[in-house]
Amino acid sequence: FSLKNKDSLNIYRSNNLSIRINLYSPKQQNQINTTLKSVKYFENRNLQYDSYYSNLILAEYYLSIRYYKIAENFIYNALEKLDKFNNDFAYEKILASMTAANILHSQLKDEEAYRLIQNYNRQIKYVNREIFSKERINFITSLYYNNNAVVGVFTDKITYKESNSNYYKALKLVPNIDMYDLHRGNTIFNIFSNKIKNSDTDSIDYYYNLLIKLQEPYLDLDF
């Protein structure tokens, strides 16, 4: 409808929404090109939230294809836009901080990543619980525990035992449904890897079998 009416604002917003709704689907190049154009469009019109959204999408995309430096530029742009809202959009600030931590960890910038992960503790009390469901709040909390465990060990902020405790909390917070398979799989893999690295064989078969079970529905898919 927006394309038919040559409505640029809603073309860009619709494109972003389409990408976020289909978060784990392969991104089409025309979608990414449209998002790249939208950054300048929103910035020129001082549409800070829209600009944040576009920058977040691009950061996640470039992270997924391992263009970490480009991803870092976009995620810091996203966080800068959110900073203009003081304590508003706390949920979005946590989400962007977790993406930023993943990007920085991928570049071995773990001290910086750990500081950003702690944004969760500063912002969670401001999350609007009338807007966001318990399930969605549990998801960002799960992201926090998972990322805190990964990066905390690399920076010697937490022990192996504490990291495992964080992983278990992360796993319990998300329901066992398809839309959380990627996050659940990532957390289970981290538990499994943690055990291997520390020669901890307790329950290792259980987590290995969980990983195998999680991947089964996706083995025949052509990505």
Side-chain angles (χ1 to χ4, degrees):
F1 183 81
S2 299
L3 285 167
K4 183 180 178 180
N5 289 280
K6 299 181 180 179
D7 178 358
S8 296
L9 175 62
N10 284 310
I11 287 171
Y12 291 135
R13 284 177 170 170
S14 300
N15 179 67
N16 284 355
L17 185 59
S18 176
I19 292 172
R20 295 299 289 175
I21 287 172
N22 302 288
L23 193 58
Y24 301 124
S25 299
K27 307 294 183 291
Q28 302 299 319
Q29 192 57 52
N30 66 314
Q31 289 180 306
I32 297 305
N33 290 342
T34 300
T35 308
L36 284 164
K37 291 177 184 176
S38 75
V39 171
K40 185 176 181 180
Y41 179 92
F42 292 139
E43 186 64 29
N44 287 343
R45 287 156 181 79
N46 200 31
L47 297 169
Q48 298 298 327
Y49 185 86
D50 289 298
S51 183
Y52 142 75
Y53 210 48
S54 292
N55 277 285
L56 175 67
I57 287 168
L58 292 167
E60 290 176 340
Y61 169 72
Y62 284 108
L63 171 62
S64 73
I65 62 172
R66 302 183 181 182
Y67 282 43
Y68 299 129
K69 193 60 188 175
I70 298 174
E72 183 180 343
N73 290 337
F74 280 118
I75 200 61
Y76 273 118
N77 285 343
L79 286 166
E80 181 184 345
K81 305 308 173 191
L82 291 175
D83 279 344
K84 299 178 187 298
F85 296 107
N86 297 319
N87 291 323
D88 296 331
F89 301 110
Y91 185 96
E92 289 85 349
K93 288 178 183 179
I94 292 170
L95 196 62
S97 295
M98 296 307 149
T99 298
N102 291 337
I103 293 166
L104 292 166
H105 177 61
S106 298
Q107 299 177 85
L108 306 180
K109 299 178 180 180
D110 289 311
E111 290 289 343
E112 194 175 348
Y114 189 81
R115 287 195 295 273
L116 276 167
I117 290 166
Q118 305 319 307
N119 276 346
Y120 169 86
N121 294 311
R122 291 186 284 273
Q123 293 296 329
I124 190 62
K125 58 181 173 290
Y126 298 114
V127 172
N128 190 331
R129 294 171 190 272
E130 293 181 4
I131 295 176
F132 295 99
S133 67
K134 183 179 179 181
E135 184 179 276
R136 291 182 70 186
I137 293 171
N138 283 350
F139 173 64
I140 58 170
T141 304
S142 182
L143 284 177
Y144 163 73
Y145 280 124
N146 183 74
N147 288 9
N148 197 60
V150 172
V151 179
V153 167
F154 274 85
T155 55
D156 294 323
K157 298 289 193 303
I158 62 175
T159 65
Y160 162 68
K161 185 176 180 180
E162 289 169 329
S163 70
N164 260 0
S165 176
N166 274 269
Y167 287 135
Y168 297 145
K169 289 175 183 176
L171 200 55
K172 287 179 180 178
L173 280 163
V174 289
N176 188 11
I177 56 178
D178 290 351
M179 69 177 292
Y180 293 110
D181 277 356
L182 185 63
H183 177 61
R184 284 176 57 80
N186 183 47
T187 304
I188 293 166
F189 177 77
N190 287 338
I191 294 172
F192 182 77
S193 299
N194 217 21
K195 285 179 172 291
I196 291 290
K197 290 173 186 175
N198 290 275
S199 302
D200 178 2
T201 58
D202 180 47
S203 305
I204 199 167
D205 288 342
Y206 170 75
Y207 290 105
Y208 175 76
N209 289 327
L210 277 181
L211 280 173
I212 297 300
K213 187 176 180 180
L214 267 173
Q215 73 171 355
E216 283 175 356
Y218 306 99
L219 290 177
D220 296 328
L221 295 181
D222 182 11
F223 287 104

